[in-house]
Amino acid sequence: MYIVIDGLKVEIQKKKVKNINLAVLSPEGMVRISAPKRVSDEYISDFVRSKMGWIQKQRDKILKKAIIVNREYVTGEKIYLFGEEYTLQTLPATGKARVTINGNTAYLETKNGSTAADREKTVNEWYRQLLKEQIRKYLPKWEKITGLHPTEWQIKNMKTRWGTCNTVSGKIWLNLQLAKKPFVCLEYVILHELTHLRIRNHGKDFIEAMNRYMPEWQAIKEKMNEF
């Protein structure tokens, strides 16, 4: 069911839970509440009002992410490479479309009439090439440390995972978006997926292995979305 609280549309799901859980679903402020069945709508309304400041902060974060995702790849936008921020400048291409870095500027050479999708494709091809170089650098390091070796690895542009592992075939995939993150994030994901070659779940054995190989891994995991 839905109720409106001070102009804010709130979806309420009453279920067998011990506490009230609040989630902001959109920059427009769509909010979902899951609450114990015994809790009254009046109590929920008061709870939501007490969280209005937090809700606004979450709306702002979602909106900021949406702006970053919906890029046009035009002059003035910011792009990221291994944790460093660059200002994008588009130039007419004299040959093949490409991206180059000079100082704090990323130059995107593109053909006249190119679409946002065309420019994104060029940037992603650039990311892919640079990420491959770093994987070839860091994967052998962690293979040597762990004694674990994938049968194959590939880069894939994924929306919900930084990496994934097929424990049957021994193949791992690493997210193209890791090209935007600091190198330590790439190392963490490589180690994470290598560890899954031996330990399929995220249970005690997995945590112990990660703690042994990379004691700071949980802090890196928490920080990944902040870069």
Side-chain angles (χ1 to χ4, degrees):
M1 76 179 219
Y2 293 89
I3 63 174
V4 177
I5 303 171
D6 296 344
L8 189 66
K9 189 176 182 181
V10 180
E11 178 186 358
I12 299 177
Q13 299 178 344
K14 292 190 177 182
K15 54 181 70 173
K16 292 181 179 180
V17 294
K18 292 182 179 180
N19 302 304
I20 295 179
N21 298 301
L22 170 64
V24 179
L25 306 180
S26 74
E28 291 75 25
M30 179 63 188
V31 171
R32 176 181 293 156
I33 291 280
S34 59
K37 294 181 178 180
R38 68 180 184 277
V39 174
S40 68
D41 292 350
E42 183 179 359
Y43 184 91
I44 291 173
S45 295
D46 290 341
F47 176 82
V48 171
R49 289 189 180 98
S50 73
K51 298 292 184 181
M52 283 299 187
W54 180 86
I55 290 170
Q56 185 59 52
K57 287 181 180 179
Q58 299 309 306
R59 292 171 65 182
D60 292 343
K61 286 182 180 180
I62 294 171
L63 182 60
K64 184 177 179 180
K65 288 183 178 180
I67 291 171
I68 291 173
V69 170
N70 297 324
R71 292 185 180 280
E72 293 294 325
Y73 294 94
V74 294
T75 295
E77 287 186 1
K78 304 294 183 181
I79 65 172
Y80 298 85
L81 177 65
F82 299 123
E84 299 295 328
E85 182 183 85
Y86 298 89
T87 301
L88 193 65
Q89 182 172 336
T90 56
L91 299 171
T94 56
K96 184 179 179 181
R98 63 173 186 164
V99 181
T100 56
I101 294 287
N102 188 352
N104 296 321
T105 303
Y107 294 94
L108 171 57
E109 298 179 36
T110 183
K111 296 180 179 179
N112 291 332
S114 66
T115 64
D118 294 332
R119 296 188 291 273
E120 180 181 33
K121 182 179 179 181
T122 299
V123 172
N124 281 344
E125 287 175 351
W126 174 66
Y127 277 143
R128 186 178 297 275
Q129 184 58 45
L130 295 179
L131 185 59
K132 280 182 180 179
E133 294 174 6
Q134 297 305 317
I135 294 171
R136 292 184 180 122
K137 173 182 175 181
Y138 288 113
L139 180 59
K141 168 186 171 179
W142 289 103
E143 286 178 321
K144 183 177 180 180
I145 291 171
T146 63
L148 299 168
H149 305 271
T151 56
E152 184 182 358
W153 61 267
Q154 286 188 358
I155 295 170
K156 185 177 181 181
N157 200 4
M158 296 180 277
K159 292 184 178 181
T160 60
R161 296 182 179 184
W162 292 114
T164 187
C165 169
N166 186 318
T167 56
V168 176
S169 68
K171 181 177 178 180
I172 66 174
W173 289 263
L174 299 168
N175 194 335
L176 177 67
Q177 301 302 315
L178 286 166
K180 301 175 183 178
K181 304 296 181 181
F183 295 121
V184 68
C185 296
L186 173 60
E187 291 196 71
Y188 156 69
V189 177
I190 288 174
L191 174 60
H192 185 116
E193 301 310 326
L194 285 178
T195 304
H196 276 316
L197 294 175
R198 179 181 294 156
I199 306 167
R200 297 189 178 189
N201 57 40
H202 293 97
K204 180 181 178 181
D205 291 343
F206 177 86
I207 293 172
E208 288 180 350
M210 291 294 292
N211 286 341
R212 182 167 65 253
Y213 296 130
M214 184 182 282
E216 72 281 15
W217 71 276
Q218 295 199 53
I220 296 170
K221 179 181 177 182
E222 291 175 0
K223 289 289 185 181
M224 281 188 73
N225 289 328
E226 296 181 14
F227 287 102

